[in-house]
PDB file of all heavy atoms in Angstrom:
ATOM      1  N   THR A   1     104.182 109.994  85.444  1.00  0.00           N
ATOM      2  CA  THR A   1     104.204 108.570  85.108  1.00  0.00           C
ATOM      3  C   THR A   1     105.333 108.317  84.104  1.00  0.00           C
ATOM      4  O   THR A   1     105.140 107.692  83.057  1.00  0.00           O
ATOM      5  CB  THR A   1     102.854 108.105  84.528  1.00  0.00           C
ATOM      6  OG1 THR A   1     102.562 108.867  83.349  1.00  0.00           O
ATOM      7  CG2 THR A   1     101.727 108.290  85.528  1.00  0.00           C
ATOM      8  N   LEU A   2     106.514 108.781  84.437  1.00  0.00           N
ATOM      9  CA  LEU A   2     107.632 108.739  83.495  1.00  0.00           C
ATOM     10  C   LEU A   2     108.010 107.321  83.085  1.00  0.00           C
ATOM     11  O   LEU A   2     108.441 107.088  81.956  1.00  0.00           O
ATOM     12  CB  LEU A   2     108.841 109.457  84.089  1.00  0.00           C
ATOM     13  CG  LEU A   2     108.699 110.975  84.288  1.00  0.00           C
ATOM     14  CD1 LEU A   2     109.908 111.534  85.011  1.00  0.00           C
ATOM     15  CD2 LEU A   2     108.494 111.686  82.945  1.00  0.00           C
ATOM     16  N   SER A   3     107.850 106.352  83.981  1.00  0.00           N
ATOM     17  CA  SER A   3     108.318 105.004  83.668  1.00  0.00           C
ATOM     18  C   SER A   3     107.542 104.361  82.531  1.00  0.00           C
ATOM     19  O   SER A   3     108.096 103.558  81.777  1.00  0.00           O
ATOM     20  CB  SER A   3     108.275 104.119  84.914  1.00  0.00           C
ATOM     21  OG  SER A   3     106.963 103.990  85.426  1.00  0.00           O
ATOM     22  N   VAL A   4     106.261 104.690  82.386  1.00  0.00           N
ATOM     23  CA  VAL A   4     105.502 104.119  81.263  1.00  0.00           C
ATOM     24  C   VAL A   4     105.783 104.878  79.971  1.00  0.00           C
ATOM     25  O   VAL A   4     105.854 104.291  78.884  1.00  0.00           O
ATOM     26  CB  VAL A   4     103.991 104.069  81.561  1.00  0.00           C
ATOM     27  CG1 VAL A   4     103.360 105.450  81.589  1.00  0.00           C
ATOM     28  CG2 VAL A   4     103.268 103.189  80.547  1.00  0.00           C
ATOM     29  N   ILE A   5     105.988 106.186  80.069  1.00  0.00           N
ATOM     30  CA  ILE A   5     106.269 106.978  78.867  1.00  0.00           C
ATOM     31  C   ILE A   5     107.660 106.664  78.329  1.00  0.00           C
ATOM     32  O   ILE A   5     107.883 106.659  77.111  1.00  0.00           O
ATOM     33  CB  ILE A   5     106.118 108.482  79.189  1.00  0.00           C
ATOM     34  CG1 ILE A   5     104.695 108.789  79.662  1.00  0.00           C
ATOM     35  CG2 ILE A   5     106.472 109.339  77.969  1.00  0.00           C
ATOM     36  CD1 ILE A   5     104.509 110.150  80.267  1.00  0.00           C
ATOM     37  N   GLU A   6     108.584 106.347  79.217  1.00  0.00           N
ATOM     38  CA  GLU A   6     109.947 106.014  78.803  1.00  0.00           C
ATOM     39  C   GLU A   6     109.968 104.893  77.768  1.00  0.00           C
ATOM     40  O   GLU A   6     110.829 104.879  76.869  1.00  0.00           O
ATOM     41  CB  GLU A   6     110.765 105.612  80.024  1.00  0.00           C
ATOM     42  CG  GLU A   6     112.202 105.236  79.701  1.00  0.00           C
ATOM     43  CD  GLU A   6     112.958 104.700  80.901  1.00  0.00           C
ATOM     44  OE1 GLU A   6     112.335 104.068  81.772  1.00  0.00           O
ATOM     45  OE2 GLU A   6     114.179 104.916  80.957  1.00  0.00           O
ATOM     46  N   GLN A   7     109.034 103.954  77.891  1.00  0.00           N
ATOM     47  CA  GLN A   7     109.012 102.814  76.975  1.00  0.00           C
ATOM     48  C   GLN A   7     108.678 103.214  75.544  1.00  0.00           C
ATOM     49  O   GLN A   7     108.845 102.409  74.621  1.00  0.00           O
ATOM     50  CB  GLN A   7     108.003 101.783  77.477  1.00  0.00           C
ATOM     51  CG  GLN A   7     108.378 101.137  78.798  1.00  0.00           C
ATOM     52  CD  GLN A   7     109.670 100.334  78.682  1.00  0.00           C
ATOM     53  OE1 GLN A   7     109.829  99.534  77.779  1.00  0.00           O
ATOM     54  NE2 GLN A   7     110.598 100.584  79.581  1.00  0.00           N
ATOM     55  N   MET A   8     108.206 104.440  75.345  1.00  0.00           N
ATOM     56  CA  MET A   8     107.879 104.921  74.004  1.00  0.00           C
ATOM     57  C   MET A   8     109.017 105.732  73.394  1.00  0.00           C
ATOM     58  O   MET A   8     108.892 106.217  72.264  1.00  0.00           O
ATOM     59  CB  MET A   8     106.614 105.786  74.062  1.00  0.00           C
ATOM     60  CG  MET A   8     105.436 105.100  74.720  1.00  0.00           C
ATOM     61  SD  MET A   8     104.042 106.242  74.920  1.00  0.00           S
ATOM     62  CE  MET A   8     103.093 105.381  76.195  1.00  0.00           C
ATOM     63  N   VAL A   9     110.112 105.892  74.137  1.00  0.00           N
ATOM     64  CA  VAL A   9     111.244 106.698  73.687  1.00  0.00           C
ATOM     65  C   VAL A   9     112.330 105.773  73.150  1.00  0.00           C
ATOM     66  O   VAL A   9     112.717 104.823  73.835  1.00  0.00           O
ATOM     67  CB  VAL A   9     111.801 107.559  74.841  1.00  0.00           C
ATOM     68  CG1 VAL A   9     112.953 108.437  74.355  1.00  0.00           C
ATOM     69  CG2 VAL A   9     110.694 108.417  75.452  1.00  0.00           C
ATOM     70  N   PRO A  10     112.816 105.995  71.938  1.00  0.00           N
ATOM     71  CA  PRO A  10     113.814 105.078  71.373  1.00  0.00           C
ATOM     72  C   PRO A  10     115.105 105.064  72.184  1.00  0.00           C
ATOM     73  O   PRO A  10     115.558 106.084  72.689  1.00  0.00           O
ATOM     74  CB  PRO A  10     114.054 105.637  69.969  1.00  0.00           C
ATOM     75  CG  PRO A  10     113.611 107.057  70.022  1.00  0.00           C
ATOM     76  CD  PRO A  10     112.491 107.093  71.010  1.00  0.00           C
ATOM     77  N   GLY A  11     115.661 103.856  72.297  1.00  0.00           N
ATOM     78  CA  GLY A  11     116.958 103.711  72.945  1.00  0.00           C
ATOM     79  C   GLY A  11     116.926 103.635  74.448  1.00  0.00           C
ATOM     80  O   GLY A  11     117.972 103.502  75.087  1.00  0.00           O
ATOM     81  N   ARG A  12     115.738 103.703  75.057  1.00  0.00           N
ATOM     82  CA  ARG A  12     115.656 103.613  76.519  1.00  0.00           C
ATOM     83  C   ARG A  12     115.719 102.147  76.943  1.00  0.00           C
ATOM     84  O   ARG A  12     115.301 101.250  76.209  1.00  0.00           O
ATOM     85  CB  ARG A  12     114.364 104.252  77.026  1.00  0.00           C
ATOM     86  CG  ARG A  12     114.151 105.684  76.607  1.00  0.00           C
ATOM     87  CD  ARG A  12     115.163 106.638  77.185  1.00  0.00           C
ATOM     88  NE  ARG A  12     115.074 106.724  78.633  1.00  0.00           N
ATOM     89  CZ  ARG A  12     115.709 107.641  79.366  1.00  0.00           C
ATOM     90  NH1 ARG A  12     116.510 108.518  78.777  1.00  0.00           N
ATOM     91  NH2 ARG A  12     115.572 107.672  80.666  1.00  0.00           N
ATOM     92  N   PRO A  13     116.229 101.861  78.135  1.00  0.00           N
ATOM     93  CA  PRO A  13     116.473 100.473  78.531  1.00  0.00           C
ATOM     94  C   PRO A  13     115.213  99.721  78.944  1.00  0.00           C
ATOM     95  O   PRO A  13     114.222 100.318  79.358  1.00  0.00           O
ATOM     96  CB  PRO A  13     117.413 100.620  79.734  1.00  0.00           C
ATOM     97  CG  PRO A  13     117.030 101.950  80.337  1.00  0.00           C
ATOM     98  CD  PRO A  13     116.700 102.828  79.150  1.00  0.00           C
ATOM     99  N   VAL A  14     115.279  98.398  78.810  1.00  0.00           N
ATOM    100  CA  VAL A  14     114.314  97.483  79.415  1.00  0.00           C
ATOM    101  C   VAL A  14     115.098  96.667  80.436  1.00  0.00           C
ATOM    102  O   VAL A  14     116.087  96.014  80.091  1.00  0.00           O
ATOM    103  CB  VAL A  14     113.658  96.556  78.375  1.00  0.00           C
ATOM    104  CG1 VAL A  14     112.736  95.558  79.070  1.00  0.00           C
ATOM    105  CG2 VAL A  14     112.892  97.360  77.341  1.00  0.00           C
ATOM    106  N   GLU A  15     114.678  96.718  81.681  1.00  0.00           N
ATOM    107  CA  GLU A  15     115.428  96.053  82.735  1.00  0.00           C
ATOM    108  C   GLU A  15     115.273  94.532  82.659  1.00  0.00           C
ATOM    109  O   GLU A  15     114.191  94.012  82.386  1.00  0.00           O
ATOM    110  CB  GLU A  15     114.952  96.525  84.112  1.00  0.00           C
ATOM    111  CG  GLU A  15     115.100  98.021  84.335  1.00  0.00           C
ATOM    112  CD  GLU A  15     114.504  98.435  85.667  1.00  0.00           C
ATOM    113  OE1 GLU A  15     114.847  97.816  86.687  1.00  0.00           O
ATOM    114  OE2 GLU A  15     113.689  99.365  85.680  1.00  0.00           O
ATOM    115  N   ASP A  16     116.382  93.825  82.927  1.00  0.00           N
ATOM    116  CA  ASP A  16     116.342  92.359  82.947  1.00  0.00           C
ATOM    117  C   ASP A  16     115.332  91.837  83.963  1.00  0.00           C
ATOM    118  O   ASP A  16     114.646  90.844  83.712  1.00  0.00           O
ATOM    119  CB  ASP A  16     117.724  91.797  83.277  1.00  0.00           C
ATOM    120  CG  ASP A  16     118.707  91.974  82.124  1.00  0.00           C
ATOM    121  OD1 ASP A  16     118.258  92.203  80.977  1.00  0.00           O
ATOM    122  OD2 ASP A  16     119.928  91.886  82.364  1.00  0.00           O
ATOM    123  N   ARG A  17     115.219  92.506  85.101  1.00  0.00           N
ATOM    124  CA  ARG A  17     114.307  92.021  86.139  1.00  0.00           C
ATOM    125  C   ARG A  17     112.849  92.105  85.674  1.00  0.00           C
ATOM    126  O   ARG A  17     112.012  91.315  86.103  1.00  0.00           O
ATOM    127  CB  ARG A  17     114.494  92.795  87.440  1.00  0.00           C
ATOM    128  CG  ARG A  17     114.151  94.278  87.346  1.00  0.00           C
ATOM    129  CD  ARG A  17     114.268  94.978  88.676  1.00  0.00           C
ATOM    130  NE  ARG A  17     113.800  96.360  88.570  1.00  0.00           N
ATOM    131  CZ  ARG A  17     113.318  97.052  89.591  1.00  0.00           C
ATOM    132  NH1 ARG A  17     113.246  96.512  90.787  1.00  0.00           N
ATOM    133  NH2 ARG A  17     112.926  98.299  89.419  1.00  0.00           N
ATOM    134  N   VAL A  18     112.554  93.078  84.802  1.00  0.00           N
ATOM    135  CA  VAL A  18     111.210  93.190  84.237  1.00  0.00           C
ATOM    136  C   VAL A  18     110.904  91.970  83.386  1.00  0.00           C
ATOM    137  O   VAL A  18     109.832  91.374  83.478  1.00  0.00           O
ATOM    138  CB  VAL A  18     111.069  94.491  83.428  1.00  0.00           C
ATOM    139  CG1 VAL A  18     109.791  94.479  82.592  1.00  0.00           C
ATOM    140  CG2 VAL A  18     111.075  95.707  84.359  1.00  0.00           C
ATOM    141  N   LEU A  19     111.860  91.579  82.556  1.00  0.00           N
ATOM    142  CA  LEU A  19     111.664  90.411  81.702  1.00  0.00           C
ATOM    143  C   LEU A  19     111.566  89.135  82.538  1.00  0.00           C
ATOM    144  O   LEU A  19     110.760  88.248  82.235  1.00  0.00           O
ATOM    145  CB  LEU A  19     112.817  90.304  80.703  1.00  0.00           C
ATOM    146  CG  LEU A  19     112.985  91.490  79.747  1.00  0.00           C
ATOM    147  CD1 LEU A  19     114.218  91.288  78.877  1.00  0.00           C
ATOM    148  CD2 LEU A  19     111.748  91.680  78.892  1.00  0.00           C
ATOM    149  N   ASP A  20     112.361  89.040  83.591  1.00  0.00           N
ATOM    150  CA  ASP A  20     112.388  87.826  84.410  1.00  0.00           C
ATOM    151  C   ASP A  20     111.074  87.575  85.131  1.00  0.00           C
ATOM    152  O   ASP A  20     110.694  86.423  85.359  1.00  0.00           O
ATOM    153  CB  ASP A  20     113.516  87.909  85.449  1.00  0.00           C
ATOM    154  CG  ASP A  20     114.897  87.805  84.822  1.00  0.00           C
ATOM    155  OD1 ASP A  20     114.981  87.355  83.660  1.00  0.00           O
ATOM    156  OD2 ASP A  20     115.877  88.194  85.480  1.00  0.00           O
ATOM    157  N   ILE A  21     110.376  88.645  85.508  1.00  0.00           N
ATOM    158  CA  ILE A  21     109.168  88.457  86.315  1.00  0.00           C
ATOM    159  C   ILE A  21     107.925  88.244  85.453  1.00  0.00           C
ATOM    160  O   ILE A  21     106.881  87.841  85.949  1.00  0.00           O
ATOM    161  CB  ILE A  21     108.975  89.650  87.283  1.00  0.00           C
ATOM    162  CG1 ILE A  21     108.189  89.208  88.513  1.00  0.00           C
ATOM    163  CG2 ILE A  21     108.321  90.838  86.582  1.00  0.00           C
ATOM    164  CD1 ILE A  21     108.285  90.147  89.682  1.00  0.00           C
ATOM    165  N   MET A  22     108.039  88.485  84.149  1.00  0.00           N
ATOM    166  CA  MET A  22     106.914  88.276  83.240  1.00  0.00           C
ATOM    167  C   MET A  22     106.661  86.789  83.012  1.00  0.00           C
ATOM    168  O   MET A  22     107.597  85.973  83.022  1.00  0.00           O
ATOM    169  CB  MET A  22     107.193  88.922  81.878  1.00  0.00           C
ATOM    170  CG  MET A  22     107.144  90.428  81.833  1.00  0.00           C
ATOM    171  SD  MET A  22     107.570  90.989  80.145  1.00  0.00           S
ATOM    172  CE  MET A  22     107.304  92.752  80.299  1.00  0.00           C
ATOM    173  N   ALA A  23     105.422  86.450  82.741  1.00  0.00           N
ATOM    174  CA  ALA A  23     105.099  85.112  82.256  1.00  0.00           C
ATOM    175  C   ALA A  23     105.812  84.912  80.916  1.00  0.00           C
ATOM    176  O   ALA A  23     105.920  85.858  80.120  1.00  0.00           O
ATOM    177  CB  ALA A  23     103.597  84.953  82.094  1.00  0.00           C
ATOM    178  N   PRO A  24     106.326  83.706  80.644  1.00  0.00           N
ATOM    179  CA  PRO A  24     107.126  83.495  79.420  1.00  0.00           C
ATOM    180  C   PRO A  24     106.443  83.957  78.142  1.00  0.00           C
ATOM    181  O   PRO A  24     107.063  84.624  77.299  1.00  0.00           O
ATOM    182  CB  PRO A  24     107.354  81.980  79.419  1.00  0.00           C
ATOM    183  CG  PRO A  24     107.307  81.598  80.860  1.00  0.00           C
ATOM    184  CD  PRO A  24     106.267  82.496  81.482  1.00  0.00           C
ATOM    185  N   GLU A  25     105.156  83.618  77.970  1.00  0.00           N
ATOM    186  CA  GLU A  25     104.480  84.002  76.740  1.00  0.00           C
ATOM    187  C   GLU A  25     104.282  85.514  76.659  1.00  0.00           C
ATOM    188  O   GLU A  25     104.284  86.104  75.571  1.00  0.00           O
ATOM    189  CB  GLU A  25     103.134  83.274  76.621  1.00  0.00           C
ATOM    190  CG  GLU A  25     102.101  83.627  77.683  1.00  0.00           C
ATOM    191  CD  GLU A  25     102.227  82.822  78.969  1.00  0.00           C
ATOM    192  OE1 GLU A  25     103.314  82.236  79.204  1.00  0.00           O
ATOM    193  OE2 GLU A  25     101.239  82.773  79.730  1.00  0.00           O
ATOM    194  N   VAL A  26     104.118  86.171  77.813  1.00  0.00           N
ATOM    195  CA  VAL A  26     103.981  87.628  77.848  1.00  0.00           C
ATOM    196  C   VAL A  26     105.310  88.279  77.506  1.00  0.00           C
ATOM    197  O   VAL A  26     105.360  89.274  76.778  1.00  0.00           O
ATOM    198  CB  VAL A  26     103.481  88.081  79.243  1.00  0.00           C
ATOM    199  CG1 VAL A  26     103.489  89.600  79.350  1.00  0.00           C
ATOM    200  CG2 VAL A  26     102.084  87.536  79.501  1.00  0.00           C
ATOM    201  N   ARG A  27     106.398  87.701  78.015  1.00  0.00           N
ATOM    202  CA  ARG A  27     107.728  88.229  77.722  1.00  0.00           C
ATOM    203  C   ARG A  27     108.004  88.207  76.213  1.00  0.00           C
ATOM    204  O   ARG A  27     108.480  89.192  75.643  1.00  0.00           O
ATOM    205  CB  ARG A  27     108.786  87.412  78.454  1.00  0.00           C
ATOM    206  CG  ARG A  27     110.221  87.919  78.266  1.00  0.00           C
ATOM    207  CD  ARG A  27     111.237  86.948  78.863  1.00  0.00           C
ATOM    208  NE  ARG A  27     110.846  86.539  80.183  1.00  0.00           N
ATOM    209  CZ  ARG A  27     110.680  85.264  80.573  1.00  0.00           C
ATOM    210  NH1 ARG A  27     110.880  84.289  79.710  1.00  0.00           N
ATOM    211  NH2 ARG A  27     110.338  84.983  81.809  1.00  0.00           N
ATOM    212  N   GLU A  28     107.694  87.094  75.580  1.00  0.00           N
ATOM    213  CA  GLU A  28     107.948  86.976  74.146  1.00  0.00           C
ATOM    214  C   GLU A  28     107.115  87.992  73.361  1.00  0.00           C
ATOM    215  O   GLU A  28     107.615  88.645  72.439  1.00  0.00           O
ATOM    216  CB  GLU A  28     107.633  85.558  73.684  1.00  0.00           C
ATOM    217  CG  GLU A  28     108.584  84.501  74.237  1.00  0.00           C
ATOM    218  CD  GLU A  28     108.148  83.099  73.874  1.00  0.00           C
ATOM    219  OE1 GLU A  28     107.236  82.968  73.025  1.00  0.00           O
ATOM    220  OE2 GLU A  28     108.704  82.130  74.433  1.00  0.00           O
ATOM    221  N   ALA A  29     105.848  88.119  73.732  1.00  0.00           N
ATOM    222  CA  ALA A  29     104.973  89.072  73.039  1.00  0.00           C
ATOM    223  C   ALA A  29     105.425  90.505  73.283  1.00  0.00           C
ATOM    224  O   ALA A  29     105.389  91.350  72.375  1.00  0.00           O
ATOM    225  CB  ALA A  29     103.531  88.875  73.504  1.00  0.00           C
ATOM    226  N   PHE A  30     105.864  90.800  74.526  1.00  0.00           N
ATOM    227  CA  PHE A  30     106.340  92.142  74.836  1.00  0.00           C
ATOM    228  C   PHE A  30     107.565  92.501  74.011  1.00  0.00           C
ATOM    229  O   PHE A  30     107.653  93.593  73.438  1.00  0.00           O
ATOM    230  CB  PHE A  30     106.655  92.282  76.323  1.00  0.00           C
ATOM    231  CG  PHE A  30     107.542  93.459  76.621  1.00  0.00           C
ATOM    232  CD1 PHE A  30     107.060  94.753  76.504  1.00  0.00           C
ATOM    233  CD2 PHE A  30     108.881  93.275  76.942  1.00  0.00           C
ATOM    234  CE1 PHE A  30     107.887  95.850  76.730  1.00  0.00           C
ATOM    235  CE2 PHE A  30     109.711  94.354  77.169  1.00  0.00           C
ATOM    236  CZ  PHE A  30     109.210  95.650  77.069  1.00  0.00           C
TER     237      PHE A  30
END
């Protein structure tokens, strides 16, 4: 499950498409 663990590693990317598909309030909180 590398994709979820990656989010705990400093300097790893967050994809723009991930942010785009989130609900606005969820995006801000994330």
Side-chain angles (χ1 to χ4, degrees):
T1 59
L2 293 174
S3 61
V4 70
I5 300 168
E6 180 186 32
Q7 294 297 311
M8 306 174 199
V9 182
R12 304 295 295 191
V14 176
E15 300 175 51
D16 288 342
R17 64 176 186 154
V18 168
L19 299 176
D20 290 343
I21 207 163
M22 288 178 175
E25 65 275 19
V26 173
R27 182 188 313 124
E28 292 174 11
F30 162 70

